[in-house]
């Protein structure tokens, strides 16, 4: 774990040199040049989600993983080429999916207003629409991001890992100008989606020298996870939904933290700090409070910029 922290420390130099408040974003950025962009992207996301209920969670996660590397610049959308292995092929991103949704939205946007809207903006809009389609809050997305020209799988080590403790999470978020409040609010995105056994197996087998199972985990919940994820020879794609209402954006996740029924170490560790524990309790008791905080933090995170161009194809640089 020390090596991970060291890598994050040195990567902060890279992060600060690339990510800046940079490109000025605006709610009316495409008012004259592409006024229908919001509805075009919304329709593409809605169409995909009707066929595949996992799409909203995938798009929200994709946006988060994009913003945490080089800012919200669509670099996660780029495909590997030649000797360069792109972000989407880095270990934390190999389970990302639904890239086709962004491709489809881009195609429709290009037909309406060619060469105007960045892939990064389309992804930011799609993430918002994913939350809304799942029953969560809506918000106006500031626009004007540019697309990046660099994507490196090696940089995905900068993503906060599911094994992180509160200090590691705080460092990761603060490097990006995000507060402890942002950390807890954005973690609420874990109310959507699915996780493979590999992301939480550290908690149910050989946890430490004195406990086989993480003692902060509810025993019956741990037993259920062990039945799904045997110690050896896991069934392919074995895992668990993030919470029982994994296709509905709500505050169930925070209630589960208090019950010791969340998957990741990085989820349960939110109770180890007085500040974050209080926020977890507040969000667990009030969905409206969580929604308000989530919207504020999403806008803040998605305003980290760093790109240079408007890509014609989201998978390749111009």
């Amino acid at each position: 774990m020390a090596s991970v922290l060291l890598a994050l420390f040195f990567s902060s130099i890279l992060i600060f040199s690339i990510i800046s408040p940079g490109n000025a974003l605006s709610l009316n950025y495409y008012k004259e040049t592409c006024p229908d962009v919001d509805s075009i992207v919304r329709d593409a996301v809605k169409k995909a989600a009707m066929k595949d209920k996992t799409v909203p969670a995938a798009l929200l996660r994709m946006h988060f993983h994009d913003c945490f590397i080089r800012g919200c610049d669509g670099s996660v959308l780029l495909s590997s080429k030649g000797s360069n292995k792109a972000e989407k092929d880095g270990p934390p991103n190999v389970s990302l999916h639904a890239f086709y949704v962004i491709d489809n939205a881009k195609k429709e946007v290009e037909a309406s207003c060619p060469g105007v809207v960045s892939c990064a903006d389309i992804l930011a809009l799609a993430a918002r629409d994913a939350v809304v389609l799942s029953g969560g809050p809506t918000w106006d997305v500031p626009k004007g991001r540019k697309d990046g020209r660099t994507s490196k799988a090696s940089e995905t080590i900068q993503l906060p890992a599911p094994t992180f403790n509160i200090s590691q999470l705080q460092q990761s978020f603060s490097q990006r100008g995000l507060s402890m409040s942002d950390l807890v609010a954005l973690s609420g995105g874990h109310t959507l989606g699915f996780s493979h056994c590999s992301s939480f197996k550290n908690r149910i087998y050989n946890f430490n020298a004195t406990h086989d199972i993480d003692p902060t985990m509810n025993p019956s919940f741990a037993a259920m996870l062990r039945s799904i994820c045997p110690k050896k020879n896991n069934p392919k794609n074995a895992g668990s939904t993030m919470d029982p209402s994994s296709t509905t954006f709500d505050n169930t996740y925070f209630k589960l933290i208090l019950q010791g029924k969340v998957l990741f170490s990085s989820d349960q560790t939110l109770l180890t700090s007085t500040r974050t524990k209080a926020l977890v309790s507040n969000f667990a008791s009030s969905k409206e409070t969580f929604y308000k905080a989530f919207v504020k933090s999403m806008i803040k995170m998605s305003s980290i910029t760093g790109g240079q161009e408007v890509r014609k194809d989201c998978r390749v640089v111009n």
Side-chain angles (χ1 to χ4, degrees):
M1 195 57 70
S3 62
V4 174
L5 276 173
L6 191 62
L8 281 169
F9 175 78
F10 285 114
S11 71
S12 66
I13 299 173
L14 171 66
I15 293 167
F16 286 127
S17 68
I18 295 170
I19 299 176
S20 67
N23 308 328
L25 304 183
S26 165
L27 296 177
N28 300 315
Y29 192 83
Y30 298 116
K31 184 178 180 180
E32 303 297 332
T33 57
C34 196
D36 297 327
V37 62
D38 282 65
S39 60
I40 294 172
V41 175
R42 186 184 307 118
D43 288 346
V45 174
K46 187 174 182 179
K47 184 177 180 180
M50 287 176 65
K51 295 179 180 179
D52 181 356
K53 63 183 180 181
T54 70
V55 161
L59 294 174
L60 181 58
R61 183 169 177 242
M62 191 187 299
H63 181 48
F64 182 94
H65 282 216
D66 182 40
C67 294
F68 257 62
I69 304 300
R70 290 178 164 262
C72 311
D73 67 344
S75 55
V76 75
L77 305 172
L78 287 168
S79 296
S80 296
K81 183 178 181 181
S83 61
N84 182 65
K85 192 175 180 182
E87 286 172 33
K88 66 168 64 173
D89 293 320
N93 286 341
V94 291
S95 59
L96 289 180
H97 68 285
F99 291 100
Y100 72 92
V101 182
I102 304 303
D103 291 335
N104 291 346
K106 176 65 170 175
K107 183 178 179 181
E108 294 299 321
V109 169
E110 285 295 305
S112 178
C113 29
V116 172
V117 181
S118 67
C119 298
D121 273 348
I122 290 173
L123 181 53
L125 289 167
R128 185 271 314 274
D129 297 334
V131 171
V132 175
L133 284 170
S134 302
T138 189
W139 62 93
D140 291 329
V141 176
K143 308 169 193 72
R145 297 164 192 79
K146 299 301 182 187
D147 295 321
R149 298 180 56 82
T150 302
S151 183
K152 296 182 180 295
S154 59
E155 293 177 4
T156 59
I157 192 176
Q158 297 166 18
L159 290 167
T163 55
F164 271 16
N165 61 34
I166 195 67
S167 297
Q168 292 167 311
L169 288 173
Q170 183 177 12
Q171 181 187 39
S172 179
F173 276 68
S174 65
Q175 284 176 352
R176 293 153 178 86
L178 299 171
S179 68
M180 293 290 269
S181 297
D182 297 320
L183 161 61
V184 181
L186 292 172
S187 293
H190 285 172
T191 188
L192 296 179
F194 175 92
S195 172
H196 292 98
C197 298
S198 57
S199 293
F200 56 85
K201 216 169 180 181
N202 67 299
R203 300 187 69 203
I204 57 175
Y205 295 107
N206 305 316
F207 179 67
N208 60 25
T210 54
H211 296 93
D212 191 30
I213 297 172
D214 184 345
T216 65
M217 183 178 278
N218 177 284
S220 62
F221 182 63
M224 182 273 288
L225 293 178
R226 283 169 72 119
S227 70
I228 294 171
C229 305
K231 194 168 187 177
K232 295 181 180 179
N233 302 318
N234 282 326
K236 187 178 181 181
N237 295 323
S240 171
T241 55
M242 297 299 288
D243 78 32
S245 56
S246 63
T247 59
T248 301
F249 193 95
D250 55 25
N251 65 333
T252 300
Y253 162 81
F254 296 104
K255 298 175 183 179
L256 293 173
I257 294 178
L258 297 174
Q259 297 168 18
K261 295 181 178 180
V262 282
L263 298 180
F264 301 158
S265 298
S266 61
D267 294 325
Q268 198 63 45
T269 196
L270 296 180
L271 295 186
T272 62
S273 153
T274 302
R275 170 64 175 152
T276 56
K277 184 177 181 179
L279 287 166
V280 168
S281 297
N282 288 342
F283 295 160
S285 62
S286 173
K287 186 166 70 173
E288 290 70 26
T289 300
F290 164 50
Y291 280 4
K292 184 176 180 180
F294 183 79
V295 165
K296 181 180 179 181
S297 295
M298 279 295 287
I299 292 173
K300 186 176 177 181
M301 180 193 74
S302 71
S303 296
I304 304 170
T305 58
Q308 301 84 35
E309 66 181 19
V310 174
R311 268 184 242 138
K312 297 174 184 177
D313 180 335
C314 292
R315 294 178 182 253
V316 297
V317 297
N318 290 344

